[in-house]
């Protein structure tokens, strides 16, 4: 399959779906939903230039290391944890979880009800809801130390998730903005179909094709854990590595329940492929 990718016999999208499936990710499991990368860093230009390398996200770095300042803060966090503690990591939150998936797709059922269920029966505070592609990128790549989320496949083929066609009352932000359709980058001209078209073109671009293997190493490959992950600033809380935690050897039911709840709520690293 990798050789087919190199020869351009399959698309980058299809290859990522193949990897997700091999790694145990599925549309049927929100806790292990297929994970896709942010591929762009330009959500402010009037025109999207896919021939300019500055248009794109650095695929060789995880979301927590997209800026030098942010990267150093996560390295400092890692180094400040005592060496004998099992929770030494760069990130205590995950790039894909049930709540992240449901928050992205909240404007469509069954995700609307799923999101409310995960939130205890109601929507989140409006300012924390997914309402803008640009602000979400800025949060995940720069501003919020608790946010390192990646994307879902829908960002590359499904314009409907960006519109509030069901007229769901999502609340009102502190600045008075009533949440409705997702705010799109200027280059999309307010058109969800154009956003999806250009976003998919970005995924299949020469730049992403030449650099996508770096991101695959981080999420599915050898930089997923161990010394390579530490060097890449790509380590997560130990409980996120579900296949590394042997629950059968944990006798305390409270500890076992805590670990299962942690994985359920905060996400799980894909199986290494």
């Amino acid at each position: 399959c990798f050789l087919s990718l190199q020869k351009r016999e399959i698309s980058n999208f299809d290859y990522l779906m193949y990897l997700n499936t091999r790694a145990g990710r599925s549309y049927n499991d929100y806790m292990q939903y297929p994970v896709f990368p942010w591929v762009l860093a330009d959500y402010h230009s009037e025109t999207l230039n896919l021939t300019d390398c500055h248009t794109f996200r650095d695929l060789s770095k995880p979301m927590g290391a997209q800026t030098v300042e942010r990267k150093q803060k996560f390295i400092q966090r890692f180094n400040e944890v005592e060496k004998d503690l099992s929770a030494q990591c760069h990130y205590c939150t995950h790039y894909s979880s049930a709540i992240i998936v449901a928050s992205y797709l909240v404007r469509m059922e069954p995700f609307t009800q799923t999101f409310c269920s995960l939130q205890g029966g109601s929507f989140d505070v409006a300012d924390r809801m997914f309402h803008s592609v640009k602000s979400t990128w800025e949060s995940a790549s720069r501003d919020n130390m608790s946010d390192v989320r990646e994307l879902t496949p829908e960002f590359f083929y499904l314009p409907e998730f960006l519109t509030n066609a069901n007229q769901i009352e999502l609340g009102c932000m502190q600045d008075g903005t009533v949440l409705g359709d997702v705010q799109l980058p200027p280059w999309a001209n307010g058109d969800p179909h154009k956003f999806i078209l250009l976003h998919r073109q970005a995924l299949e671009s020469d730049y992403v094709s030449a650099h996508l293997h770096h991101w695959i190493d981080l999420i599915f490959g050898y930089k997923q854990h161990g010394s390579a992950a530490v060097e890449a600033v790509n380590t997560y809380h130990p409980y996120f590595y579900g296949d590394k935690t042997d629950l059968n050897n944990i006798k305390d039911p409270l500890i076992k329940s805590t670990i299962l709840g942690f994985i359920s709520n905060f996400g799980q690293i894909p199986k290494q492929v």
Side-chain angles (χ1 to χ4, degrees), residues 95-113:
Y95 49 77
S96 178
S97 66
I99 192 65
I100 290 173
V101 171
S103 68
Y104 279 146
L105 306 177
V106 69
R107 290 164 177 80
M108 301 189 308
E109 291 291 6
F111 300 98
T112 307
Q113 294 303 315

Side-chain angles (χ1 to χ4, degrees), residues 8-179:
R8 297 295 182 91
E9 293 175 354
I10 65 171
S11 66
N12 291 337
F13 182 92
D14 287 338
Y15 186 60
L16 287 173
M17 284 303 303
Y18 166 78
L19 288 176
N20 272 283
T21 302
R22 287 290 303 272
R25 315 293 284 192
S26 168
Y27 282 117
N28 297 321
D29 186 349
Y30 295 167
M31 292 182 291
Q32 295 194 73
Y33 206 77
V35 56
F36 269 60
W38 289 94
V39 294
L40 294 173
D42 182 355
Y43 299 96
H44 57 271
S45 296
E46 295 293 331
T47 303
L48 191 62
N49 184 359
L50 297 181
T51 64
D52 184 354
C53 64
H54 297 100
T55 297
F56 297 91
R57 166 254 182 103
D58 188 340
L59 288 161
S60 69
K61 296 181 175 65
M63 289 303 292
Q66 289 297 306
T67 70
V68 174
E69 296 81 4
R70 185 165 150 102
K71 176 182 177 180
Q72 290 305 315
K73 288 180 180 178
F74 281 119
I75 291 175
Q76 182 180 358
R77 171 190 287 177
F78 182 91
N79 292 333
E80 286 177 349
V81 177
E82 292 295 329
K83 298 297 182 181
D84 61 346
L85 291 181
S86 62
Q88 185 179 31
C89 60
H90 295 106
Y91 314 115
C92 295
T93 54
H94 200 254
Y95 49 77
S96 178
S97 66
I99 192 65
I100 290 173
V101 171
S103 68
Y104 279 146
L105 306 177
V106 69
R107 290 164 177 80
M108 301 189 308
E109 291 291 6
F111 300 98
T112 307
Q113 294 303 315
T114 299
F115 184 84
C116 288
S117 177
L118 292 170
Q119 284 290 124
S122 62
F123 292 119
D124 197 357
V125 175
D127 287 81
R128 291 201 296 260
M129 296 285 287
F130 173 52
H131 66 278
S132 161
V133 177
K134 178 176 180 287
S135 65
T136 302
W137 159 255
E138 291 173 347
S139 173
S141 67
R142 186 188 71 196
D143 296 339
N144 188 345
M145 291 292 285
S146 297
D147 185 2
V148 292
R149 76 189 112 166
E150 295 278 7
L151 301 180
T152 64
E154 287 81 2
F155 277 82
F156 300 94
Y157 71 84
L158 189 68
E160 285 79 10
F161 88 96
L162 298 166
T163 64
N164 188 19
N166 294 325
Q167 300 297 308
I168 302 165
E169 294 185 5
L170 298 170
C172 183
M173 298 174 65
Q174 289 185 359
D175 65 3
T177 301
V178 177
L179 295 193

Side-chain angles (χ1 to χ4, degrees), residues 91-94 236-242 262-263 266-269:
Y91 314 115
C92 295
T93 54
H94 200 254
Y236 296 81
H237 192 285
Y239 290 168
F240 291 147
Y241 299 86
F262 199 94
I263 294 171
F266 296 106
Q268 192 169 354
I269 301 292

Side-chain angles (χ1 to χ4, degrees), residues 161-162 202-203 205 222 227 237 256 267:
F161 88 96
L162 298 166
L203 178 64
S205 67
Y222 79 103
S227 59
H237 192 285
K256 182 180 290 189

Side-chain angles (χ1 to χ4, degrees), residues 205-216:
S205 67
D206 290 340
Y207 179 90
V208 171
S209 296
H211 296 85
L212 186 58
H213 65 283
H214 295 302
W215 184 83
I216 291 170

